[in-house]
Each structure stands twice: as structure tokens, then as C-alpha cells.
Amino acid sequence: MTDSVRKVIQEEINGLDSKSDMDTSRKTNYLTQVFRLPWDQRVDPFWDVQYSKDVLEKSHYGMSETKERILEFIAKNKRINSQKGMVLLLTGPPGVGKTSIAKSIGECLKRPTTIISMGGQNDPMHIKGSKRTYVDSQPGIFVKEIQRLECKNPVIVIDEIDKVGFNSMKGDVSSTLLELLNPEQSNQFRDSFLDLEFDFSEVIYICTRNSIAN
């Protein structure tokens, strides 16, 4: 944790002697969520072209152009020994295996992988969480998945990113997603529930979107 985060956490701990059981319960829940974050836990980068080729050939028949592009991506990052995350986009008609090959990329890189569906999602709180002032408030889905995977550099598949919606009462989901996908912002992502900066810049995002075949 950074010094600024430690300061906030210490203030929350100091407030645990509150006489209000409800206030103590809220603070305990908050601290539990914070301590479950993998602040400095990551898997070692793994960029093995031959291993990845074997995984892709075993998992998917054909798709030679797609496989070649994935292997180029892995070879480039092996050459520079990349430690940072990035964004890949898989586009194609429904049912061609976009999500499946995205999971295979996670296997190629030997990283924990999770899938978050964006189909029809029009509430930014799903991504960024709800403020602690709300009853039953909780972190957003990305923080929850990072906690579950216990790793700050996993592969996160954002499925059907083209299906995100807009709710005039709640806000724009796509602009909230941009805070995670933009490397200039993702290293200081602030979940509304946690209200602390957490570094998502080491995550590899694989987005899928549908296209109509000609």
C-alpha cells in the first residue's frame, strides 16, 4: 500500500472503538474488503511462444490468422519483457469462439483469468461500486474479481463490450470502463466503495465485440 492508503486505513482502524455496533460493522466490512485486495501480489510474466502455440493448436481448430496475431503479441512482449497490462480486442459474429480463445490466451500466459459480461449493462455502479453511504453498498465487479483471483495482473475478459448501455439517471458505463482500459488512468483507479486508488495497469484486458458477417 502507498503511504496515503495506509493513513486512511489507520484512521478506519482507530475508529473501530465506536459505541455504535452498526458503525463498527460497516468499518469492519470496509477493512475486510481493503485487506482482501492483492496490493502487491502478482504472477510472474510468462511469454513463451512455443508453449502458447501448442495451447492454441490444441484448443482451437483453424483460425490461423487469429492465432498468428496472438503469437505475434506474445513474441513482442517477450522481446521487451513487458510487465504492464494492455488491451486486446476480438471481433467477430456470435458463436465463432471469441470468448473461448480469450480464455486460451489466459492459459498461454499462465495467468488467472475471469470473464465479466457487459451485455446490456447500463449501471456504472456495477463497474465502480457504490458509495459507503448507501445501505448494502459494495465494491464494483472489477475489484471483486481482483480480490477473488488474489492477483493484480490477471487476464480479464470483458465480454460483449459493444453491448454496454447508457442510463441518463445513472451515467455512462463506457466512460467508467475507460478509466480501467486507459493506461493513463488505470494505475489510479478509484472504486467508489473503497475510495482508494488501486493500480489496475498490470491487468491484461481482452474485450470481445460482435460484428455482422458479410
Side-chain angles (χ1 to χ4, degrees):
M1 299 179 185
T2 62
D3 290 340
S4 60
V5 170
R6 289 181 185 276
K7 181 179 178 181
V8 172
I9 298 307
Q10 190 59 57
E11 290 174 353
E12 292 290 335
I13 292 173
N14 293 341
L16 282 175
D17 59 356
S18 170
K19 295 180 180 180
S20 169
D21 290 340
M22 183 178 294
D23 192 46
T24 299
S25 177
R26 284 202 302 264
K27 288 180 181 292
T28 302
N29 176 52
Y30 175 76
L31 289 168
T32 299
Q33 299 290 350
V34 171
F35 289 134
R36 286 186 61 205
L37 282 168
W39 292 96
D40 198 31
Q41 296 168 257
R42 55 177 62 80
V43 298
D44 294 330
F46 182 81
W47 307 104
D48 189 306
V49 178
Q50 186 58 53
Y51 175 82
S52 301
K53 183 176 181 180
D54 293 342
V55 168
L56 293 173
E57 290 295 335
K58 179 181 178 181
S59 304
H60 300 277
Y61 177 78
M63 306 178 74
S64 57
E65 187 176 345
T66 303
K67 292 176 184 176
E68 182 179 353
R69 179 66 188 91
I70 293 169
L71 293 175
E72 287 175 358
F73 159 78
I74 292 171
K76 182 200 76 171
N77 284 285
K78 179 180 180 179
R79 182 178 179 85
I80 64 176
N81 192 26
S82 176
Q83 308 289 321
K84 286 295 183 180
M86 55 214 72
V87 182
L88 297 176
L89 176 63
L90 300 176
T91 303
V96 296
K98 299 185 296 297
T99 305
S100 176
I101 203 163
K103 291 170 64 178
S104 292
I105 294 173
E107 185 180 349
C108 290
L109 305 179
K110 292 189 175 182
R111 299 196 189 197
T113 302
T114 189
I115 299 174
I116 298 176
S117 177
M118 285 291 115
Q121 186 55 244
N122 64 358
D123 188 352
M125 285 201 302
H126 179 68
I127 298 169
K128 208 166 183 177
S130 51
K131 294 182 179 179
R132 294 168 64 192
T133 51
Y134 295 111
V135 177
D136 297 328
S137 57
Q138 57 184 336
I141 186 64
F142 284 84
V143 165
K144 288 180 180 178
E145 289 301 297
I146 284 283
Q147 290 173 328
R148 185 178 66 82
L149 297 174
E150 300 180 343
C151 165
K152 68 180 299 182
N153 63 342
V155 172
I156 296 182
V157 182
I158 305 178
D159 207 21
E160 296 186 318
I161 195 171
D162 56 320
K163 299 290 196 308
V164 296
F166 176 80
N167 187 320
S168 58
M169 299 294 292
K170 297 180 179 180
D172 187 2
V173 176
S174 58
S175 63
T176 307
L177 267 178
L178 187 60
E179 295 180 35
L180 286 161
L181 299 177
N182 185 346
E184 298 300 322
Q185 297 177 271
S186 60
N187 62 335
Q188 297 178 330
F189 181 76
R190 187 180 286 269
D191 181 272
S192 295
F193 176 84
L194 299 176
D195 197 25
L196 298 170
E197 292 181 352
F198 186 80
D199 185 1
F200 275 84
S201 65
E202 296 180 43
V203 175
I204 293 181
Y205 297 101
I206 305 176
C207 306
T208 73
R209 67 180 295 271
N210 291 333
S211 67
I212 305 300
N214 294 328

